[in-house]
Amino acid sequence: MSILIVGSVAFDAIETPFGQTERVMGGSAAYAALSASYFTEDVRLVAVVGEDFPDEYLQMLKDRKVDLEGLQVKQGEKSFFWKGRYHNDMNSRDSLVTELNVLENFDPILPASYQKPSLLMLGNLAPQVQQLVIKRLEERPDFILMDTMNFWMDIALDELHKTLKLVDILSINDEEARQLSGEYSLVKAAKKIMTMGPKYLIIKKGEHGALLFGEGKIFYAPALPLEEVFDPTGAGDTFAGGFIGALGKASEINFETMARAIVAGSAMASFCVEKFGPERITQLTDTEIAERTAKFGRLVDPEGDLF
Ligand code: AMP
């Protein structure tokens, strides 16, 4: 089972009520690929960085056996840079700086070895680029997950709608679901968004967990109540990477296997927030993941019938 992940690989600067960092590795594809790498060794990444991107950051991905043949390094250009500040509740944040740099003219080139992935994750990235990736694949993957954010709704809504028509599932947060649908009720928002293309929808609610919609059903997974949350950056991408990784291991893809994958994704995201940047999800053990997933499973399903 191979997973192709396309998205940003970035410099992030983060401010939370607990402290701040200057330039750590970030980006939707970086977080998602690290997370998915705990489920399969066949994770392939397509992204672009500038010549300023440190080798030690790329080494974190290589150490997790993420295939970087599709990572372009643009000489003479600067990497994507994002700066965010979290509010006291740690659930909401402001994007203070978004410098697209290399992302501005990103042409996602797919190496021959990347063709025919089983699963495709279109991480948060310009919707035009997300579409190009689907078009450049010889065969449609079995399953396509798309992530996005308000930034693209603000500046590229028409293109976003075109991408939505091509994917199986969309993963967004509650605020974005409301913006995309124009509905306050998340149930109404979900119904509306599912008429835009995707058959399934995940709405992430930060520390309040995630909702899965599809096949006329709703599944709710709470987030694990954690004593300490240092930095929620990347939690959504880590969640999506874990979700698609777990789904890749399932015998078939349907609402029930997706519900299980949501629990796996939530477990991965719960690690991500424990330290600044991606640090925590570079060094997990299989035992830690199994224990945390079991803890989650008990929260969702105390009788133990499902997990
Ligand atoms: P998350 O916290 O999961 O929503 O993801 C945060 C990550 O998204 C950060 O590491 C950023 O580098 C990345 N990011 C922020 N804005 C954008 C954007 N406009 N396009 C692509 N990636 C972005």
Side-chain angles (χ1 to χ4, degrees), residues 4-10 26-30 44-50 58 61 67-74 102-103 106-111 114 125 129 133:
L4 175 57
I5 295 178
V6 186
S8 54
V9 172
S28 55
R44 296 154 191 185
L45 181 137
V46 168
V48 63
V49 291
L58 299 181
L61 292 159
D67 188 336
L68 296 184
E69 199 190 333
L71 179 82
Q72 300 171 36
V73 182
K74 292 277 178 198
V102 280
L103 276 191
F106 179 34
D107 182 22
I109 296 163
L110 308 185
Y114 278 34
L125 200 61
V129 179
V133 173

Side-chain angles (χ1 to χ4, degrees), residues 40-75:
T40 170
E41 289 198 352
D42 207 344
V43 179
R44 296 154 191 185
L45 181 137
V46 168
V48 63
V49 291
E51 70 173 358
D52 53 356
F53 208 72
D55 283 343
E56 59 181 283
Y57 288 1
L58 299 181
Q59 194 59 43
M60 291 184 199
L61 292 159
K62 287 184 194 157
D63 287 347
R64 291 296 317 154
K65 298 200 172 66
V66 174
D67 188 336
L68 296 184
E69 199 190 333
L71 179 82
Q72 300 171 36
V73 182
K74 292 277 178 198
Q75 294 308 314

